[in-house]
Amino acid sequence: MNQHHLRRGVFVSLLGGKFLLGFVSGSVSQRSAQAQVPGVGGALGSVTELGSSIMEMQQHVDGLQKNLATLKKVQAALGGGK
């Protein structure tokens, strides 16, 4: 029975040591993540396109508001305002 506990202890120690060695070597050789902007693709590309579309829509809305303000001035000048 004592030999069984010794084997089990050695086995668990070896597994723990193997895990620890892998963890340490993985953290030492870890590379930092970098975005690949030139060929934008995936989720980042979709978000970028969405942002560009929103900016274009905002510019169009701003232009329409300016046109509406101009039309209201013309209408008021012609005496058509109520």
Side-chain angles (χ1 to χ4, degrees):
M1 192 72 163
N2 198 12
Q3 189 178 12
H4 177 68
H5 288 314
L6 182 63
R7 280 186 183 175
R8 180 171 232 145
V10 169
F11 180 70
V12 169
S13 297
L14 286 175
L15 282 178
K18 196 173 188 181
F19 172 78
L20 187 62
L21 181 65
F23 182 79
V24 169
S25 67
S27 62
V28 168
S29 64
Q30 185 178 15
R31 299 181 195 168
S32 61
Q34 296 177 349
Q36 298 174 353
V37 176
V40 177
L44 181 61
S46 299
V47 171
T48 303
E49 289 179 25
L50 179 63
S52 297
S53 297
I54 290 173
M55 291 296 292
E56 287 180 32
M57 285 190 271
Q58 183 63 48
Q59 289 172 352
H60 289 295
V61 169
D62 291 343
L64 290 172
Q65 287 176 341
K66 287 179 185 177
N67 290 342
L68 184 60
T70 302
L71 289 174
K72 285 184 180 180
K73 286 180 186 178
V74 170
Q75 184 181 18
L78 294 175
K82 292 183 180 179

